[in-house]
C-alpha cells in the first residue's frame, strides 16, 4: 500500500484544505494555505519553517483577521489610468490605486473575472490578475538580519509540497531593499 501511494496510486480523494497562521520576526503576520492528505506531515513542515526562522506558529484566527480576500488586476502602463478607471468602475471594481509604477484595480474576489473580461473587451489587457489575501496593516522591517530570516521562512514555506499560497504583511524599508539587491 505504501509503494502504491508513493507512486501516485491509492486513495487521494481525502485532501484537506488547511490554513496555518503565525508570526515571523518583527511581528510579521504570515498566513499559509495548504492542501494535504497528511495533516501531521504538513503541520510539521509549517511549524519547522516558523521555528527555524525565529517565528511562532499561532492559533486559528491569530492573524487571519488582518487579511482580506480580494481580486487584484495590475497594469504596468500607468498612462492607461483614465480608460481603466472608466471601464473597471462600471464593471464593478471597488478601487483603483496608482503608485507611479503600477496601476492596480481592486475588486471583490467574486467579481474579478467580470471586471477582467470587461477590461479585455475594451482592449485593456492586464499584466496580471489574481485573487489574493491583502493585509490591512504592514509590518515594517528595517533590519537586514530580520529581513533575511523572513525571506528564508517564506522560501521554506513555499518550498513545502503541500503549501499552496503564503501571504504576509511584510514591508521592507528602502535601506533593506538596497542591501538585499547588492
Amino acid at each position: 500500500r505504501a509503494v502504491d501511494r508513493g507512486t501516485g496510486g491509492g486513495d487521494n480523494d481525502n485532501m484537506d484544505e488547511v490554513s496555518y497562521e503565525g508570526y515571523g520576526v518583527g511581528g510579521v503576520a504570515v498566513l499559509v494555505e495548504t492542501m494535504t492528505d497528511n495533516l501531521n506531515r504538513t503541520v510539521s513542515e509549517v511549524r519547522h519553517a516558523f521555528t527555524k526562522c525565529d517565528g511562532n506558529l499561532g492559533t486559528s484566527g491569530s492573524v487571519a483577521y488582518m487579511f482580506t480576500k480580494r481580486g487584484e488586476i495590475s497594469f504596468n502602463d500607468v498612462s492607461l489610468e483614465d480608460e481603466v478607471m472608466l471601464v473597471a468602475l462600471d464593471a464593478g471594481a471597488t478601487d483603483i490605486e496608482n503608485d507611479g509604477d503600477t496601476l492596480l484595480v481592486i475588486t471583490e474576489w467574486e467579481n474579478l473575472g467580470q471586471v477582467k473580461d470587461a477590461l479585455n473587451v475594451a482592449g485593456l489587457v492586464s499584466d496580471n490578475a489574481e485573487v489574493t489575501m491583502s493585509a490591512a496593516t504592514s509590518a515594517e522591517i528595517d533590519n537586514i538580519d530580520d529581513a533575511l530570516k523572513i525571506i528564508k521562512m517564506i522560501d521554506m514555506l513555499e518550498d513545502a509540497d503541500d503549501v499552496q499560497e503564503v501571504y504576509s504583511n511584510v514591508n521592507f524599508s528602502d535601506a533593506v531593499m538596497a542591501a538585499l539587491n547588492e
Side-chain angles (χ1 to χ4, degrees), residues 159-171:
D159 288 345
D161 290 338
D162 297 331
V163 172
Q164 301 296 306
E165 293 289 339
V166 178
Y167 303 102
S168 76
N169 70 343
V170 68
N171 188 23

Side-chain angles (χ1 to χ4, degrees), residues 2-116:
V3 170
D4 190 34
R5 264 195 323 255
T7 59
D11 184 19
N12 287 334
D13 294 337
N14 57 346
M15 299 291 280
D16 294 315
E17 289 184 38
V18 182
S19 293
Y20 297 98
E21 307 170 31
Y23 287 96
V25 293
V28 173
V30 180
L31 181 63
V32 183
E33 292 180 349
T34 66
M35 184 174 290
T36 184
D37 61 347
N38 185 333
L39 293 171
N40 292 331
R41 177 190 67 231
T42 304
V43 74
S44 174
E45 289 176 346
V46 171
R47 182 177 291 119
H48 175 71
F50 275 97
T51 304
K52 184 154 179 84
C53 300
D54 297 334
N56 295 311
L57 187 60
T59 59
S60 181
S62 61
V63 300
Y65 71 92
M66 294 182 187
F67 293 88
T68 304
K69 191 174 187 178
R70 71 182 192 182
E72 295 182 351
I73 305 169
S74 63
F75 294 85
N76 291 336
D77 185 359
V78 294
S79 68
L80 299 172
E81 182 173 11
D82 292 337
E83 300 91 63
V84 168
M85 187 179 301
L86 287 173
V87 175
L89 293 177
D90 283 345
T94 57
D95 198 8
I96 311 254
E97 294 177 359
N98 183 346
D99 67 4
D101 295 326
T102 306
L103 187 61
L104 187 65
V105 177
I106 300 167
T107 71
E108 296 294 329
W109 70 271
E110 301 95 340
N111 297 338
L112 177 68
Q114 156 187 330
V115 174
K116 185 173 181 342

